[in-house]
Each structure stands twice: as C-alpha cells, then as structure tokens.
Amino acid sequence: MGAINRALAVAVLGILASTPAMAEVTVLTAARIHTMDTAHPRAEAMAFEDGRILAIGDAEELRKRYPSARQLDVGNATVIPGLIDAHAHVSGLGMTHLTADLVGTRSKEEVLQRLREFAATLPKDAWLIGHGWDQNDWTDKRFPGAADLDAVFPDKPVWLERVDGHAGWANSAAMRAVKRGLAGNWQPDGGRVERDAEGNPTGILIDAAMDLVNNARPPLDEATAERALVLGMRDAVEHGLTGVHDAGIPLAELERYRRLADRGEMPLRITAMAAGDGDALEKLCHDGLYRHPSGRLQMRTVKLYADGALGSRGAALLTDYNDDHGNRGLMLSTPADLLRIAKKAKDCGVQVATHAIGDRGNHEVLQAYAQALGAEVAGDHRWRIEHAQVLASQDLSKLAQMHVIASMQPTHATSDMPWAEDRVGPQRIVGAYAWRQLRDSGARLALGSDFPVESVDPRLGLYAAATRTDAEGKPAGGWMPQEKLTAFEALRGFTLDAAYAGFAEQEVGSLERGKRADFVVLAEDPLAISPERLRTLTVRATYVDGKPVYEAKTASAAASKP
C-alpha cells in the first residue's frame, strides 16, 4: 500500500473511531400500554431509538417492522407515560435526608425524641434544623413554643419548619441569633411573629417572619446544596416520576441544576420556576427563556406568593377564620405587587404561577392576571394558580374562562380534611379542594404533591384524587365525594395535563410517535384495578429518554436480541 493510501486508510479509521455508534432501536412489549393519546389510547408495543418513540401499536407488527431491534419484554405489566409532579420542591425533599425528619410525629414529646437522636450526630456548634411537624396531628393542637425546645436544647440553636413550610418553630438560642431581635410589638410585612400576652415572642414565626431566622442561620455550602438536589431527584425517579416542576428557585439553584445537567447527572426532567421578582426572573427577562440542550432542564416560569397556608391560618380569607375570629390570614404580596410582577413577566414572555390558598388569595390573583393579561386573557398564556385551594363561588368558574391552569395537589385534601372545615366553615368548604367542579367547568388540572410538604409518591396522589380517603380508607365513601376524579382523570393530571402546564405536551405526557420515551412500568393496571388499590401500585421501573433511571430489585424485564 502506498504512503498516500496508508494515510487515507488511517484517516478513515480515525473518523470511524470518533463517530458515535448508531443508536439501537428497542421494541418494548407489555400486556398493555396506556398511551394517554386519545386517538390511540392503548397498545401492546412501543419502538424507540435515541430517546424518541418511533412507533407504537401491535407487538407483532412492530417486531416485523424492526427485525434487528433489541427486544424488551416487560411481561404481564402495564406501561404508562412518565409521571410528572406539577408542583414540588426538590431541594427541600433532598434536605429531609440531611436534617431532622419530623414528618408523622404525633406529639411534642415525639418531636423532641427525634431531635435528641439527630442532635447526637451533629457537631457541637451546628444548628439543629428540622422539618415536618404539624400541630394538627397532635392531641394538643395549639402551636408549640420556644420553652418546649429550651428544656432540651438551652444553648444549641434549633429551627424547625412546619410541614407546609409556612411556619417555623424556634428555640430561644435561635431567636437570639436574629440581628434585629424579636422584642417589641412590631410585625414584618407579610408575616407574623406569634407573641404571648406580654408581647414576648413565643417561638412561632409565620410566613415572611420566618426569614428573620432563616437569614440568621449559617448558609448551606455548595456541596450540600447540590447533594440535596441529587437526593431529591433520586427519590423522585424511585417513585415513578420522570418530571418535576420545581416551584420557585433562585438563580444559584438553577446553576446547580445546570452543572448537573452538563455532567449528565439529572435522571429526570426539571421544569424550574424562578423565585419571585429576583435574580432568576431578571435573567429570564435579560437572556430569554432557558432550556438546557439535554432537554432535562428548563425555566420559563416565575413563581409568586399571594398568601400563606391554611394549616397555620396564614391563608388570606375574604372573611374571618371560622375558628379564629378577627384573623383573615396574610397576604404575602400586596395586590399592587402581584400586578406589577405579573405585568413584568408578561412583557418578558414568562409564564406566571402564583401560590394562592385562601379565597381572598385566589381572588386577588385572578384580578391581577385579568389586568396584566388584558385582551390576551383568552390566549394560550397558560398562567397558573398553585394550589387554588379555597375558591369563592364567584371565582371558581373564572379559571376556565381566563384559561388559567389549576395546579393542585390531591393529598393536600386528604391531609387537611380532619380540620379544613373548622378553619373555613361549612359554606366556604364547598369551594375547597374542588377538583371536580374545576374540571367540569373546563379548567385544566395539573396535579402534583408539593413534596416534601406531602409525600413524593405520586401513587398517593392518584389514590387521593380517586377516593378522597386517608390510608385506612376513611371516611367511608370519601370526604366531599362529589369532588372525586376518576382514575383516568387523575392519571391525566399527572401526565398530559402536567406536561401542558409546562409547555411540554409536544415532548412528554403521552406515548406517541416523535415524543420522548419517558415511561413507567407498573405491575398492575391503574385503570383496571379498584381506586382503593392505586396507593399500592408496584413501580417496576422508571425510564427517561428510553433508558432506565430506576429499576426495582424484583423487576423482571427480559431483554434480548433477535
């Protein structure tokens, strides 16, 4: 071989060696595939390549069409589109692994016992941080106080967020760290420092008042902050989630996600929302909507807060709380600020999603949206209300009329049902957690969990939506059963409608040709079993872009080459 020919041969071999291998076609077969595509709702096989669905339909037909494909038979299992949580907090979920977990505690004594155990693992000078307490689950349903913590931790600062993230419980050492100090009769805008009869702080800080302690505690280091995201995403895929709408993050958190995406370390899709009128929204307005090349990360939404939470009596109501006369809750943003930021977002082409729990909070959001959108209110803006928990009768129909998405969390209803009517009374409760009324009015429901306020497990959301009962099946027939959804409607809320809320329905949310191969393998058929069994569905595997990101140890999918 001449020198020139040898050189050409070497060059060709070099090009071939550096060229990525051709993506392999996979044909998946299952007992049934629920596509959520109304034109072809059910199939038994799906072909995908390089993360995209090539075809879906009859098993024999697809095997013939792709004779050299890798065969993936999941047996007598059901495949559904990847589940999407339309409202959650990934870092918060990850931090439950790194702080004291108080979820499910039934008394102050149990809280203190868990804190003693966790404190034993901490350095002497570290703050004791925890999350998840809920006085509504205790025999004594009154708020606790600093004295309860001081008796065990007189010197170590202790700061414990309530389960909904809208109230915090501090000991005296933590309150002493607040630079301004908490003495006096003043109150912060959008928040409340609970005080005793003498005006002394009790240790309970609600909504914006929590920032006083949060700003005094040592900040997270970058490694811990990134670790929280990794742990939160790991939990999500293990429960069948292929997407999460992370409801309100600063620019620094987006950068952490971006670094993980750059390294190929994001196992699912994150639709991130900018936290209020801050640095992330400024970046969107300056640089445009953000989308990572991997398709695993995007930000095109701003998350605002109208009011507080119902459990801590911070949700803004049009009239007094039924069980706390003189209290109408807290507006965390003034109506003028809601309107100002909504107009700013509209001018930047940014979707608006606003937390609103109480009937006044929801009313003010709808008012701001109508004014900001103007003639475009009937367009494809997809602005959202997060929670839409208590709606006045005159406002309930406005979501459909204004094309506003109701982003709701079914397990909030089953968690709140023991005390929700006590808070709002028998008349207002009719417009609370009103999934059926909203859906029948024409509003689109995007469903989620608000984890870690509730469990990350979407099966619990499907179960709550279809039964409106607790884990023991109580109350019989369901709480306010007229508001139940069918299993199909609930599944759609966690798939196609959640995708729509994130402007992603052309990519995910259903299993159709050209879409991403995001899917979940279940041992049972969620549309054939009784609704009471939805909470115990068995997740065998979670796939994103056609690759498994979670496989149960007992999963038995047979893969072979023809």
Side-chain angles (χ1 to χ4, degrees), residues 449-474:
S449 67
D450 201 12
F451 69 68
V453 175
E454 302 283 353
S455 168
V456 64
D457 193 342
R459 295 170 294 185
L460 305 188
L462 294 171
Y463 169 84
T467 67
R468 292 182 72 99
T469 62
D470 64 16
E472 285 74 45
K474 297 177 181 178

Side-chain angles (χ1 to χ4, degrees), residues 137-154:
D137 291 339
W138 305 344
T139 301
D140 181 359
K141 300 185 185 304
R142 294 174 297 176
F143 274 135
D148 300 304
L149 299 173
D150 292 345
V152 182
F153 305 102

